Amino acid sequence: MTAARVRFALKALVERSVAQTRAEPQPVAEHPPAPEPAEPVPPPAPEPAPPVPEPEPTPEPEEPVPQLEVVPAPAPVCEEPDDAVAYLQPRVDGAPREWNVWDLERIAREIEGRDVTLDQELAYLLVELRQFANAEGRLPESFDPVVRESFGDSLYTA
């Protein structure tokens, strides 16, 4: 026999034995193996009894909570106007007129230094009024109330 035939024969034998072991069922034991006895487990310790609640102290009597009372609104008090209060009335010196910005600047320079805030107000006002003046420096009549309110009595004393 040649070596090739020997190898073929061995291979066939091995395959047959492997196939038989796969096809044959494994013998099953009639009873499953009993587990080995483990150390006996001690019974669980009994739970401790719940603590006895202490009796609640009796609350001391509290002062009663004050209740809010509804108070009617006071009646409105009508007072006579105070004679010491001066009410400003617009000064009426005739019909509205056209004011000249250059004249208003001259008046502002004459009263300068009496009141710092008034000086600042008039300076800003004159800058803004120049936008609305014509080439001669005259303002439209619609600015008359603004000029009279801003310059006040200075228009008549200067």
Side-chain angles (χ1 to χ4, degrees):
M1 271 188 157
T2 64
R5 286 189 174 175
V6 173
R7 271 190 249 138
F8 178 74
L10 284 174
K11 188 177 177 186
L13 284 172
V14 170
E15 286 178 357
R16 188 181 296 166
S17 66
V18 170
Q20 286 178 354
T21 49
R22 285 187 188 162
E24 293 176 9
Q26 296 276 341
V28 179
E30 293 180 16
H31 298 287
E36 294 181 23
E39 293 182 25
V41 178
E47 293 183 19
V52 177
E54 295 181 16
E56 294 184 18
T58 56
E60 296 180 16
E62 296 179 9
E63 294 181 22
V65 178
Q67 298 294 323
L68 298 177
E69 296 179 13
V70 178
V71 178
V77 178
C78 295
E79 294 182 12
E80 295 296 323
D82 190 8
D83 292 336
V85 177
Y87 296 98
L88 298 176
Q89 299 294 329
R91 190 169 186 177
V92 182
D93 289 333
R97 61 175 273 196
E98 292 181 346
W99 294 95
N100 189 307
V101 176
W102 311 120
D103 291 338
L104 295 175
E105 286 182 353
R106 180 186 51 79
I107 294 171
R109 279 194 308 271
E110 289 176 1
I111 63 170
E112 188 175 11
R114 295 181 191 169
D115 185 3
V116 178
T117 55
L118 179 63
D119 294 344
Q120 291 175 350
E121 179 184 341
L122 293 179
Y124 290 125
L125 177 67
L126 289 170
V127 168
E128 295 299 320
L129 288 177
R130 284 187 196 127
Q131 298 177 31
F132 301 101
N134 62 15
E136 296 173 356
R138 292 187 185 212
L139 292 168
E141 287 182 5
S142 61
F143 286 93
D144 181 62
V146 175
V147 171
R148 289 181 191 262
E149 181 180 344
S150 299
F151 283 86
D153 289 335
S154 302
L155 292 172
Y156 309 105
T157 59

